[in-house]
Amino acid sequence: MIRYRLGPGASGVRWAMSPVHEVVSLARVLTQPGRHAGFGPWLRRRRERWAGLDLSALTVFMADGAYRPDFLDPPPASDEPSFEDGLAAVLAAPVEQVRAELVDATRRCSPAVRARLLGDPEGARSAAADAVRRLWEAAVEPEWVSMRRALRAELVDRALQVGREGLGAVLPRLHGSLTFAEGTVAVRSAVDVEVAGRGGLVLVPSLFITNRVQCATSDHWSPAVFYPASGRYLWSPPPAPRSLDRLVGASRARILASLATPLQTTAVAGLLGVAASTASEHLAVLRDAGLVDSTRAGRTVTHELTDAGRALLAAAGGAGTA
């Protein structure tokens, strides 16, 4: 069990996104695409982007079941850091941390590769960072606007949920291994680690994690838990039940299906391929019908299904109970 001791309430928890984490996690997916069927259509349509890229300095750490060193994936220092911020943190990882983590990360490597990496931890760190940049520029940066939109919607929605229901109710919905009680976030794990989270815990949604969580417990970083983001509909948009098409129209049926995950207006517009103003009109009709609820935080409006909307979607055969 991994335990992050935070103290009472959720004041020690913050939510953030990480562009570097998305790139590193994508690299893992690319090494084992058959195990991540949900990404299949997206990967097939874009495989030319990374064809020919030398990612070996990064994927050398992606063997099935192997420890992925923490220095590759530092927890974000702010809520929405840039890719350059994250890569700078990778390159700033202390050499003693890199060397210590390489000892565990290279146990399944060949003796020659292990000796090379352990003999030059600074070079291993630099080469891995170069590979991260190449994959970012080829595959993630061209779509970062939509990815960031999905992650931002996740951050807003989860913060609202915690405010309404408390951290203890929300954490198990992020992943079944997570619980919160008596000021401690616990992660079911084969390892036994206790972290004094005096600086707080960072919760980071990930678009490229499937059915697991990733925990950062290093003394060099803020404690963090990376978990599967609900915005993974980007890879396979949820289908709208045909019966809803006849009832509310095709566009509004697609909105109802998509709002099984709360979304901001721009994300709804992106899914429909329409202007934000058109999406707003559809959302207003659904809101007036009592099927959608909208919450404003500054200039951002997040939309989610009401109980009536979920019941309608579930009755029509959709994912309203997700």
Side-chain angles (χ1 to χ4, degrees):
M1 186 78 71
I2 299 174
R3 293 172 292 275
Y4 298 94
R5 300 207 177 277
L6 305 178
S11 59
V13 170
R14 68 178 177 88
W15 305 78
M17 67 179 73
S18 171
V20 163
H21 172 80
E22 299 303 335
V23 178
V24 174
S25 295
L26 172 59
R28 183 184 181 91
V29 170
L30 292 179
T31 64
Q32 300 172 316
R35 295 188 59 185
H36 306 281
F39 302 123
W42 188 88
L43 293 173
R44 285 192 293 273
R45 289 195 300 270
R46 292 155 178 82
R47 56 191 171 193
E48 300 82 8
R49 294 182 178 178
W50 49 79
L53 287 183
D54 181 6
L55 302 176
S56 58
L58 181 58
T59 57
V60 67
F61 304 113
M62 304 299 177
D64 189 22
Y67 162 64
R68 190 169 85 190
D70 286 350
F71 75 83
L72 291 176
D73 203 357
S78 62
D79 295 348
E80 195 173 329
S82 68
F83 171 77
E84 297 298 338
D85 292 336
L87 197 65
V90 173
L91 291 168
V95 175
E96 62 270 20
Q97 175 195 356
V98 175
R99 182 181 290 108
E101 291 177 358
L102 286 175
V103 170
D104 290 331
T106 59
R107 292 191 188 280
R108 298 191 180 190
C109 295
S110 68
V113 170
R114 191 166 198 244
R116 174 174 58 80
L117 294 172
L118 291 176
D120 184 10
E122 287 184 88
R125 181 187 60 189
S126 178
D130 287 344
V132 169
R133 179 180 292 282
R134 285 192 292 272
L135 188 55
W136 161 262
E137 293 175 347
V140 177
E141 185 178 25
E143 302 193 37
W144 182 241
V145 171
S146 59
M147 292 181 183
R148 182 178 59 196
R149 185 183 299 137
L151 292 169
R152 188 180 290 155
E154 170 82 11
L155 300 183
V156 172
D157 173 56
R158 296 305 185 184
L160 291 172
Q161 288 181 12
V162 170
R164 289 195 305 259
E165 306 171 54
L167 188 62
V170 174
L171 274 184
R173 296 207 293 266
L174 306 184
H175 193 269
S177 67
L178 300 174
T179 58
F180 177 71
E182 300 179 353
T184 298
V185 172
V187 186
R188 190 168 58 250
S189 173
V191 301
D192 191 24
V193 178
E194 185 164 315
V195 181
R198 289 184 293 271
L201 175 67
V202 189
L203 294 172
V204 187
S206 171
L207 295 168
F208 287 108
I209 285 183
T210 50
N211 58 352
R212 61 187 177 85
V213 295
Q214 176 186 330
C215 299
T217 60
S218 171
D219 292 339
H220 299 281
W221 308 122
S222 299
V225 175
F226 300 82
Y227 70 90
S230 53
R232 286 174 293 153
Y233 62 81
L234 284 171
W235 323 128
S236 181
R242 291 193 175 187
S243 56
L244 276 187
D245 287 3
R246 296 191 294 271
L247 181 65
V248 299
S251 293
R252 291 167 194 165
R254 289 180 63 196
I255 290 175
L256 289 174
S258 298
L259 287 184
T261 296
L263 297 172
Q264 297 172 1
T265 306
T266 51
V268 173
L271 283 176
L272 295 182
V274 299
S277 58
T278 302
S280 293
E281 292 175 5
H282 288 305
L283 287 160
V285 172
L286 295 171
R287 188 166 51 248
D288 290 344
L291 302 175
V292 169
D293 188 28
S294 302
T295 305
R296 179 177 291 276
R299 299 174 60 185
T300 300
V301 181
T302 300
H303 311 278
E304 59 185 315
L305 295 176
T306 62
D307 289 343
R310 290 183 181 278
L312 176 63
L313 187 59
T321 57

